[in-house]
């Protein structure tokens, strides 16, 4: 599929069929999470794959935005490994994790599965549920599965600012 078409077609899927995502599909998604660019190639991303009943229940306790998905990825970064800009100590771990999640979302769409970037979660609850050590910062959850037959983009999907509002030519 043409890349621009892929980016236009992808939308946040919030309704799923009751079908599992296969092990080989999960591996393909994780491979693009592995090959994503990261600042200084530090690769601070750490990904939890929750596919068991117990794992899904953990997510449901941390967010309302679980959409009853058959499985979830939780993307964190390790703040002991992420790159910090020397000028101001800005930590790029969250940017790295967001790039990883973007690649995963596009891959998921290419595979005719669906997902949504979920930032609406209680970080303390998620930390407890996943037993995260202090150095792991959870950035987002990707519920993932086969889109329900009636799944469709919300209006927000196509409500985009004009290019002139988001660009400056100098
Ligand atoms: C950083 C980030 C956080 C988001 N958090 C949530 C969320 O917690 N719950 C949710 O339903 N959607 C969430 N979204 C999805 C956005 O609402 C969605 O991407 C946006 O409205 C554009 O729609 P589209 O993804 O269908 O193109 C998030 C998206 C991003 C990029």
């Amino acid at each position: 599929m043409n890349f621009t078409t892929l980016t236009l077609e992808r939308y946040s899927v919030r309704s799923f069929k009751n079908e599992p995502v296969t092990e080989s599909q999960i591996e393909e998604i994780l491979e693009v999470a592995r090959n994503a660019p990261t600042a200084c190639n530090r690769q601070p991303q750490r990904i939890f794959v929750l596919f068991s009943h117990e794992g899904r229940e953990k997510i449901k306790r941390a967010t309302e935005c679980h959409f009853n998905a058959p499985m979830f990825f939780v993307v964190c970064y390790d703040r002991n490994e992420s790159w910090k800009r020397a000028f101001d100590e800005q930590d790029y771990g969250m940017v790295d994790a967001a790039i990883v999640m973007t690649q995963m979302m596009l891959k998921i769409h290419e595979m005719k599965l669906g997902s949504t970037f979920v930032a609406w979660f209680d970080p303390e609850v998620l930390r407890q549920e996943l037993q995260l050590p202090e150095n792991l910062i959870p950035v987002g959850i990707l519920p993932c599965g086969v889109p329900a037959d009636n799944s469709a983009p919300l209006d927000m999907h196509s409500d985009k600012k004009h290019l002139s509002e988001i660009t400056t030519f100098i």
Side-chain angles (χ1 to χ4, degrees), residues 10-12 14 65 67 116-120 156-157 160:
R10 182 221 57 84
Y11 72 93
S12 293
R14 298 181 175 91
C65 293
F67 313 124
T116 293
F117 190 131
V118 171
W120 179 255
M156 282 194 288
H157 169 69
K160 298 296 180 197

Side-chain angles (χ1 to χ4, degrees), residues 126-152:
L126 194 62
R127 285 191 157 286
Q128 276 174 18
E129 294 291 344
L130 302 185
Q131 296 283 293
L132 296 182
E134 216 193 314
N135 52 308
L136 286 198
I137 314 298
V139 174
I141 301 171
L142 287 181
C144 179
V146 181
D149 289 336
N150 62 357
S151 171

